[in-house]
Amino acid sequence: MELQAAKQKFIQSWGALGSSWGINRTMAQIHALLLVAPDPLSADEIMEELQISRGNANMNIRALIDWGLLFKTLKTGDRKEYFIAEKDMWEVMKCIITQRKKRELEPMLKVLDEISAVDGNAPEDQEFEKVIQDIKLFSSKADASLDTLLKADSNWFIGTFLKMIR
Amino acid sequence: MELQAAKQKFIQSWGALGSSWGINRTMAQIHALLLVAPDPLSADEIMEELQISRGNANMNIRALIDWGLLFKTLKTGDRKEYFIAEKDMWEVMKCIITQRKKRELEPMLKVLDEISAVDGNAPEDQEFEKVIQDIKLFSSKADASLDTLLKADSNWFIGTFLKMIR
DNA sequence: CTTTGGTTTCAATTTTTTCAGAAAGTTTAT
DNA sequence: ATAAACTTTCTGAAAAAATTGAAACCAAAG
């Protein structure tokens, strides 16, 4: 496969996958583009390369910066802003986990807390109570585990899981 | 909060959350409904309860069964099929991880393999090569870890992560 | 203060996803 | 074989999400 074709394919695939990862297509494409770009790119270059509008480009660049997956850089004597991607996969993963945890897990915990303020104590309620408690226990455990994972460093992760794999 | 209100809220919230979990709303709602239902429900009861069409109900019930989150049960002397939800949260999590791994991780690995068949060897390619290799390494590690996790049992999970949490 | 290069916001539009309802297909009991 | 009870597959409508394009905005340089 040719280098250019390969890059193209990577960008497209990463974009397609993005959607199932809770990231929208453009956002994922921009990230992919910058991952394989040898040098920082300006917003205009990104628009050009991916054939997207200014507004779209800007919004998603902002979002990626918020997520911590992109950084601004400046070139001396140039007023444009240039962008580079976080290339350390461990960091990338941490960013993604952080965001998804915030959007997927934490709202769940919040709802469960509200729900478990259910006051009835009829025998029939016990079943319901139990299900909710179970989910709550499990979710908070997962939540805590992810927090720990986020604090851990790359080596720890690799080490632990290599052990797991054997 | 009242029991009925609580159940209602749980179903709605679980449904809303479902979307960010890569599960569609109806599918998540059916699952939630059955999680908190004291007894097995028939397709008709599910339709009634969630105010959804027969087609929709059927499709999503099928999907849930495929995922392994729902089971059929039969009542003697009744031709109807009744459904119950998998209530062990550990199992639920395993089902979800299995599916998402299939849909999110494995296609990624496939693409990466195709891409790394890139043949050019100009100095500029090295950077690209490296990024792809990095992602590949990381992804297959994650993939393997998840496989291990899926084989592990609930106690192991809780044990390990309790240790992590401290 | 005005121009220039660049960034941000937002209503309107397009694309994608989800769903109801109809219709066709199965299965099972008689 | 037929009828009754369920299931599956479509299609078009509706809802939700993503994108565009334009206008508004800002900061630096002259």
Side-chain angles (χ1 to χ4, degrees):
Chain A
M1 192 187 287
E2 282 226 32
L3 179 65
Q4 280 314 314
K7 285 191 181 179
Q8 210 51 44
K9 178 156 196 173
F10 175 69
I11 292 169
Q12 294 312 324
S13 310
W14 196 259
L17 245 56
S19 25
S20 52
W21 274 89
I23 296 172
N24 81 34
R25 181 156 71 266
T26 307
M27 202 165 153
Q29 283 183 346
I30 294 175
H31 184 230
L33 173 62
L34 285 169
L35 265 183
V36 299
D39 303 301
L41 297 180
S42 68
D44 290 284
E45 289 165 323
I46 292 171
M47 289 164 54
E48 167 64 20
E49 198 81 40
L50 301 178
Q51 294 289 305
I52 58 175
S53 72
R54 184 171 298 284
N56 193 12
N58 190 273
M59 262 183 24
N60 286 295
I61 289 172
R62 267 343 102 186
L64 282 166
I65 291 176
D66 280 351
W67 281 45
L69 289 173
L70 234 60
F71 308 102
K72 284 187 198 179
T73 56
L74 297 172
K75 290 188 180 173
T76 45
D78 190 341
R79 271 164 61 187
K80 270 204 192 78
E81 291 182 333
Y82 289 80
F83 303 96
I84 55 176
E86 171 63 69
K87 294 197 179 181
D88 177 337
M89 278 302 127
W90 171 251
E91 288 301 326
V92 170
M93 191 186 103
K94 288 209 293 190
C95 288
I96 293 174
I97 290 179
T98 304
Q99 293 297 324
R100 298 189 74 165
K101 189 165 97 64
K102 199 180 302 170
R103 291 191 301 165
E104 299 175 10
L105 204 51
E106 284 164 14
M108 181 83 244
L109 287 171
K110 188 163 158 295
V111 169
L112 289 171
D113 272 337
E114 287 167 34
I115 285 174
S116 49
V118 64
D119 44 30
N121 257 330
E124 181 140 319
D125 300 6
Q126 296 307 318
E127 174 74 8
F128 177 66
E129 267 297 280
K130 178 161 175 359
V131 172
I132 298 297
Q133 286 310 320
D134 257 26
I135 298 176
K136 225 164 116 176
L137 181 64
F138 199 82
S139 308
S140 34
K141 211 163 278 172
D143 193 56
S145 304
L146 288 176
D147 279 341
T148 310
L149 188 63
L150 289 175
K151 269 183 254 142
D153 75 295
S154 155
N155 292 329
W156 172 87
F157 173 70
I158 292 175
T160 303
F161 279 124
L162 278 181
K163 253 181 281 162
M164 281 176 50
I165 291 162
R166 281 200 241 104
Chain B
M1 195 188 288
E2 281 227 31
L3 179 65
Q4 280 314 314
K7 285 191 180 182
Q8 210 50 44
K9 177 154 196 172
F10 174 69
I11 292 169
Q12 294 311 325
S13 309
W14 196 258
L17 246 53
S19 23
S20 53
W21 274 88
I23 296 170
N24 79 35
R25 177 156 75 269
T26 309
M27 200 166 154
Q29 283 183 344
I30 294 176
H31 184 230
L33 173 61
L34 285 168
L35 266 183
V36 298
D39 303 302
L41 298 180
S42 68
D44 289 284
E45 288 164 324
I46 292 171
M47 287 164 54
E48 167 64 19
E49 198 78 41
L50 300 178
Q51 295 287 304
I52 58 175
S53 72
R54 183 172 296 284
N56 194 11
N58 190 273
M59 263 183 21
N60 286 295
I61 289 172
R62 257 356 93 184
L64 281 165
I65 291 175
D66 280 351
W67 280 45
L69 289 173
L70 236 61
F71 308 101
K72 285 185 197 179
T73 55
L74 298 171
K75 290 188 180 173
T76 45
D78 190 342
R79 269 166 62 188
K80 272 205 191 75
E81 293 181 329
Y82 289 79
F83 303 96
I84 54 175
E86 170 63 66
K87 295 198 179 182
D88 177 338
M89 279 299 128
W90 172 250
E91 289 300 328
V92 170
M93 190 186 102
K94 289 210 292 189
C95 288
I96 292 175
I97 289 179
T98 304
Q99 292 297 325
R100 299 191 71 166
K101 188 165 99 65
K102 201 180 300 169
R103 292 191 301 165
E104 298 174 9
L105 205 50
E106 284 162 15
M108 182 84 245
L109 286 170
K110 190 164 154 296
V111 170
L112 289 172
D113 271 338
E114 288 166 32
I115 285 174
S116 49
V118 65
D119 44 29
N121 258 329
E124 181 140 321
D125 298 9
Q126 296 308 318
E127 172 75 8
F128 176 67
E129 266 297 279
K130 179 162 175 354
V131 172
I132 299 298
Q133 286 311 319
D134 257 27
I135 298 176
K136 226 166 114 177
L137 180 64
F138 199 82
S139 309
S140 34
K141 210 162 280 172
D143 192 57
S145 304
L146 288 176
D147 280 340
T148 310
L149 187 63
L150 290 175
K151 269 182 257 146
D153 76 294
S154 155
N155 292 331
W156 173 88
F157 173 70
I158 292 175
T160 303
F161 280 122
L162 278 182
K163 254 181 281 161
M164 281 177 51
I165 291 163
R166 279 200 241 105

